[in-house]
Coordinates of all heavy atoms in Angstrom, one line a residue:
M214 N 19.2 2.5 -31.7 CA 18.0 2.7 -30.9 C 17.7 4.2 -30.9 O 18.5 5.0 -30.5 CB 18.1 2.3 -29.5 CG 16.8 2.4 -28.6 SD 17.0 1.6 -27.1 CE 17.2 3.0 -26.0
N215 N 16.5 4.6 -31.5 CA 16.2 6.0 -31.5 C 15.4 6.4 -30.3 O 15.1 5.6 -29.4 CB 15.4 6.3 -32.8 CG 14.1 5.6 -32.9 OD1 13.5 5.3 -31.9 ND2 13.6 5.3 -34.1
Y216 N 15.1 7.7 -30.2 CA 14.4 8.2 -29.0 C 13.0 7.6 -28.8 O 12.7 7.3 -27.7 CB 14.3 9.7 -29.2 CG 13.6 10.4 -28.0 CD1 14.2 10.6 -26.8 CD2 12.3 10.8 -28.1 CE1 13.6 11.2 -25.7 CE2 11.6 11.4 -27.1 CZ 12.3 11.6 -25.9 OH 11.6 12.2 -24.8
Q217 N 12.3 7.4 -29.9 CA 11.0 6.8 -29.7 C 11.0 5.4 -29.1 O 10.2 5.1 -28.3 CB 10.3 6.8 -31.1 CG 8.8 6.3 -31.0 CD 8.0 7.3 -30.2 OE1 8.2 8.5 -30.3 NE2 7.1 6.8 -29.4
E218 N 11.9 4.6 -29.5 CA 12.0 3.2 -29.0 C 12.4 3.3 -27.5 O 11.8 2.6 -26.7 CB 13.1 2.4 -29.7 CG 12.7 2.0 -31.1 CD 13.8 1.3 -31.8 OE1 15.0 1.4 -31.4 OE2 13.5 0.8 -32.9
G219 N 13.3 4.2 -27.1 CA 13.7 4.4 -25.7 C 12.5 4.9 -24.9 O 12.2 4.4 -23.8
L220 N 11.7 5.8 -25.4 CA 10.5 6.3 -24.7 C 9.5 5.2 -24.5 O 8.9 5.1 -23.5 CB 9.9 7.5 -25.5 CG 8.7 8.2 -24.9 CD1 9.2 8.8 -23.6 CD2 8.2 9.2 -25.8
T221 N 9.3 4.4 -25.6 CA 8.3 3.3 -25.5 C 8.8 2.3 -24.4 O 8.0 1.8 -23.6 CB 8.2 2.5 -26.8 OG1 7.8 3.5 -27.8 CG2 7.2 1.4 -26.8
L222 N 10.1 2.0 -24.4 CA 10.6 1.0 -23.3 C 10.4 1.6 -22.0 O 9.9 1.0 -21.0 CB 12.1 0.8 -23.6 CG 12.7 -0.2 -22.6 CD1 12.1 -1.6 -22.8 CD2 14.2 -0.3 -22.9
F223 N 10.7 2.9 -21.8 CA 10.5 3.6 -20.5 C 9.1 3.6 -20.1 O 8.7 3.3 -18.9 CB 11.0 5.1 -20.7 CG 10.9 5.9 -19.4 CD1 11.8 5.7 -18.4 CD2 9.9 6.8 -19.3 CE1 11.8 6.4 -17.2 CE2 9.8 7.6 -18.1 CZ 10.8 7.4 -17.1
E224 N 8.2 3.9 -21.1 CA 6.7 3.9 -20.7 C 6.2 2.5 -20.4 O 5.2 2.3 -19.7 CB 5.9 4.4 -21.9 CG 6.2 5.9 -22.1 CD 5.5 6.5 -23.3 OE1 5.1 5.7 -24.2 OE2 5.3 7.7 -23.4
A225 N 6.9 1.5 -20.9 CA 6.5 0.1 -20.6 C 6.9 -0.3 -19.2 O 6.2 -1.1 -18.5 CB 7.0 -0.9 -21.7
I226 N 8.1 0.1 -18.8 CA 8.7 -0.3 -17.5 C 8.1 0.6 -16.4 O 7.9 0.0 -15.3 CB 10.2 -0.2 -17.6 CG1 10.7 -1.3 -18.6 CG2 10.8 -0.4 -16.2 CD1 12.2 -1.2 -18.9
L227 N 8.0 1.8 -16.6 CA 7.6 2.8 -15.5 C 6.4 2.4 -14.8 O 6.4 2.4 -13.5 CB 7.5 4.2 -16.1 CG 7.3 5.3 -15.0 CD1 8.5 5.3 -14.1 CD2 7.1 6.7 -15.7
P228 N 5.3 2.1 -15.4 CA 4.1 1.7 -14.6 C 4.3 0.5 -13.7 O 3.8 0.5 -12.6 CB 3.0 1.4 -15.7 CG 3.5 2.2 -16.9 CD 5.0 2.1 -16.8
K229 N 5.0 -0.5 -14.2 CA 5.3 -1.7 -13.4 C 6.2 -1.3 -12.2 O 5.9 -1.7 -11.1 CB 6.0 -2.7 -14.2 CG 5.2 -3.3 -15.3 CD 5.9 -4.3 -16.1 CE 5.1 -4.9 -17.2 NZ 4.7 -3.9 -18.3
A230 N 7.2 -0.4 -12.4 CA 8.1 0.0 -11.3 C 7.3 0.8 -10.3 O 7.5 0.6 -9.1 CB 9.2 0.8 -11.9
V231 N 6.4 1.7 -10.7 CA 5.6 2.5 -9.8 C 4.7 1.6 -9.0 O 4.5 1.7 -7.8 CB 4.8 3.5 -10.6 CG1 3.8 4.2 -9.7 CG2 5.8 4.6 -11.2
G232 N 4.0 0.6 -9.7 CA 3.1 -0.3 -9.1 C 3.8 -1.1 -8.0 O 3.3 -1.3 -6.9
I233 N 5.0 -1.6 -8.3 CA 5.8 -2.4 -7.3 C 6.2 -1.6 -6.1 O 6.0 -2.0 -5.0 CB 7.0 -3.0 -8.0 CG1 6.6 -4.1 -9.0 CG2 8.0 -3.6 -6.9 CD1 7.7 -4.6 -9.9
T234 N 6.6 -0.3 -6.4 CA 7.0 0.6 -5.3 C 5.8 0.9 -4.4 O 5.9 0.8 -3.2 CB 7.6 1.9 -5.9 OG1 8.7 1.6 -6.8 CG2 8.0 2.8 -4.8
I235 N 4.7 1.2 -5.0 CA 3.5 1.5 -4.2 C 3.1 0.3 -3.4 O 2.7 0.5 -2.2 CB 2.3 2.0 -5.1 CG1 2.7 3.4 -5.7 CG2 1.0 2.1 -4.3 CD1 1.7 3.9 -6.7
S236 N 3.1 -0.8 -4.0 CA 2.7 -2.1 -3.3 C 3.6 -2.3 -2.1 O 3.2 -2.7 -1.0 CB 2.7 -3.3 -4.2 OG 1.8 -3.1 -5.3
Y237 N 4.9 -2.1 -2.3 CA 5.9 -2.3 -1.3 C 5.7 -1.3 -0.1 O 5.7 -1.7 1.1 CB 7.3 -2.1 -1.8 CG 8.4 -2.2 -0.8 CD1 8.8 -3.5 -0.3 CD2 9.1 -1.1 -0.4 CE1 9.8 -3.6 0.7 CE2 10.1 -1.2 0.6 CZ 10.4 -2.4 1.1 OH 11.4 -2.5 2.1
L238 N 5.5 -0.1 -0.4 CA 5.3 0.9 0.6 C 4.0 0.7 1.4 O 3.9 0.8 2.6 CB 5.2 2.3 0.0 CG 6.5 2.8 -0.6 CD1 6.3 4.2 -1.3 CD2 7.6 3.0 0.5
A239 N 2.9 0.2 0.6 CA 1.7 -0.1 1.3 C 1.9 -1.3 2.2 O 1.3 -1.3 3.3 CB 0.6 -0.5 0.2
F240 N 2.6 -2.3 1.8 CA 2.9 -3.5 2.6 C 3.6 -3.1 3.9 O 3.3 -3.5 5.0 CB 3.7 -4.5 1.9 CG 4.1 -5.7 2.7 CD1 3.1 -6.6 2.9 CD2 5.4 -5.9 3.1 CE1 3.4 -7.8 3.7 CE2 5.7 -7.1 3.8 CZ 4.7 -8.0 4.1
I241 N 4.7 -2.2 3.8 CA 5.4 -1.7 5.0 C 4.5 -0.9 5.9 O 4.5 -1.1 7.1 CB 6.6 -0.9 4.5 CG1 7.6 -1.7 3.7 CG2 7.3 -0.2 5.7 CD1 8.2 -2.9 4.5
G242 N 3.6 -0.1 5.3 CA 2.7 0.7 6.0 C 1.7 -0.1 6.8 O 1.4 0.1 8.0
I243 N 1.2 -1.2 6.2 CA 0.3 -2.1 6.9 C 1.0 -2.8 8.1 O 0.5 -2.9 9.2 CB -0.3 -3.2 5.9 CG1 -1.2 -2.5 5.0 CG2 -0.9 -4.3 6.7 CD1 -1.6 -3.4 3.8
Q244 N 2.3 -3.2 7.9 CA 3.0 -3.8 9.0 C 3.2 -2.9 10.1 O 3.1 -3.2 11.3 CB 4.4 -4.3 8.4 CG 4.4 -5.5 7.6 CD 5.8 -6.0 7.3 OE1 6.7 -5.3 7.0 NE2 6.0 -7.3 7.4
E245 N 3.6 -1.6 9.8 CA 3.8 -0.6 10.8 C 2.4 -0.3 11.6 O 2.4 -0.3 12.8 CB 4.3 0.7 10.2 CG 5.7 0.6 9.8 CD 6.7 0.4 11.0 OE1 6.5 1.0 12.0 OE2 7.6 -0.4 10.8
F246 N 1.4 -0.2 10.8 CA 0.1 0.0 11.4 C -0.3 -1.1 12.4 O -0.8 -0.9 13.5 CB -1.0 0.2 10.4 CG -2.4 0.3 10.9 CD1 -2.9 1.5 11.4 CD2 -3.2 -0.8 10.9 CE1 -4.1 1.6 12.0 CE2 -4.5 -0.7 11.4 CZ -5.0 0.5 11.9
W247 N -0.1 -2.4 11.9 CA -0.5 -3.5 12.7 C 0.4 -3.6 13.9 O -0.1 -3.9 15.0 CB -0.3 -4.8 11.8 CG -0.7 -6.0 12.5 CD1 0.1 -7.1 13.0 CD2 -2.1 -6.4 12.9 NE1 -0.7 -8.0 13.6 CE2 -2.0 -7.7 13.5 CE3 -3.3 -5.8 12.7 CZ2 -3.2 -8.3 14.0 CZ3 -4.5 -6.4 13.2 CH2 -4.4 -7.7 13.8
H248 N 1.6 -3.3 13.8 CA 2.5 -3.3 15.0 C 2.0 -2.3 16.0 O 1.9 -2.6 17.2 CB 4.0 -2.9 14.6 CG 4.9 -2.8 15.7 ND1 5.4 -3.9 16.4 CD2 5.5 -1.7 16.3 CE1 6.2 -3.4 17.4 NE2 6.2 -2.1 17.3
E249 N 1.7 -1.1 15.6 CA 1.2 0.0 16.5 C -0.1 -0.5 17.1 O -0.4 -0.2 18.3 CB 1.0 1.3 15.8 CG 2.4 1.9 15.3 CD 3.3 2.2 16.5 OE1 2.8 2.6 17.6 OE2 4.5 2.2 16.3
F250 N -0.9 -1.1 16.4 CA -2.3 -1.6 16.8 C -2.1 -2.6 17.9 O -2.7 -2.6 19.0 CB -3.0 -2.2 15.7 CG -4.4 -2.7 16.0 CD1 -5.4 -1.8 16.3 CD2 -4.6 -4.1 16.2 CE1 -6.7 -2.3 16.6 CE2 -5.9 -4.5 16.5 CZ -6.9 -3.6 16.8
V251 N -1.2 -3.6 17.7 CA -0.9 -4.6 18.7 C -0.3 -4.0 20.0 O -0.7 -4.3 21.1 CB 0.1 -5.7 18.1 CG1 0.5 -6.6 19.2 CG2 -0.6 -6.4 17.0
V252 N 0.6 -3.1 19.8 CA 1.2 -2.4 21.0 C 0.1 -1.7 21.8 O 0.1 -1.7 23.0 CB 2.3 -1.4 20.6 CG1 2.8 -0.6 21.7 CG2 3.5 -2.2 20.0
A253 N -0.8 -1.0 21.1 CA -1.8 -0.2 21.7 C -2.8 -1.1 22.5 O -3.2 -0.8 23.6 CB -2.6 0.6 20.7
C254 N -3.1 -2.3 21.9 CA -4.0 -3.2 22.5 C -3.3 -3.8 23.8 O -4.0 -4.1 24.8 CB -4.3 -4.4 21.6 SG -5.5 -3.9 20.3
K255 N -2.0 -4.0 23.8 CA -1.3 -4.5 24.9 C -1.2 -3.5 26.0 O -1.0 -3.8 27.2 CB 0.1 -5.0 24.5 CG 0.0 -6.3 23.7 CD 1.4 -6.8 23.3 CE 1.4 -8.1 22.6 NZ 2.7 -8.5 22.1
G256 N -1.3 -2.2 25.6 CA -1.3 -1.1 26.6 C 0.0 -0.3 26.5 O 1.1 -0.9 26.8
G257 N -0.1 0.9 26.2 CA 1.0 1.8 26.2 C 1.8 1.8 24.9 O 1.7 0.8 24.2
Y258 N 2.6 2.8 24.6 CA 3.4 2.9 23.5 C 4.9 3.0 23.9 O 5.2 3.5 25.0 CB 3.1 4.2 22.7 CG 1.8 4.1 21.9 CD1 0.6 4.6 22.5 CD2 1.7 3.6 20.7 CE1 -0.6 4.5 21.9 CE2 0.5 3.5 20.0 CZ -0.6 4.0 20.6 OH -1.8 3.9 19.9
Q259 N 5.7 2.4 23.1 CA 7.1 2.4 23.4 C 7.7 3.8 23.0 O 7.4 4.3 22.0 CB 7.9 1.4 22.6 CG 7.4 0.0 23.0 CD 7.7 -0.4 24.4 OE1 8.8 0.0 25.0 NE2 6.8 -1.1 25.1

């Protein structure tokens, strides 16, 4: 396997890995935001 093949494989995997990571972080962020929103609506912060 030469460098070009490795670079192509890396370029093929990297966008998917970044997309999954961003989606995961966004999902966690939405959960945290929703949790804070519910707590605020109930009154007061922990």
Side-chain angles (χ1 to χ4, degrees):
M214 184 171 106
N215 62 29
Y216 178 75
Q217 186 60 41
E218 287 175 348
L220 184 63
T221 302
L222 182 64
F223 182 77
E224 290 176 343
I226 293 172
L227 187 62
K229 294 180 180 67
V231 171
I233 291 169
T234 302
I235 291 173
S236 298
Y237 176 75
L238 291 175
F240 179 72
I241 296 299
I243 290 167
Q244 282 188 319
E245 288 296 318
F246 173 79
W247 185 248
H248 175 73
E249 294 297 329
F250 179 76
V251 170
V252 170
C254 286
K255 289 180 178 178
Y258 288 92
Q259 297 297 324

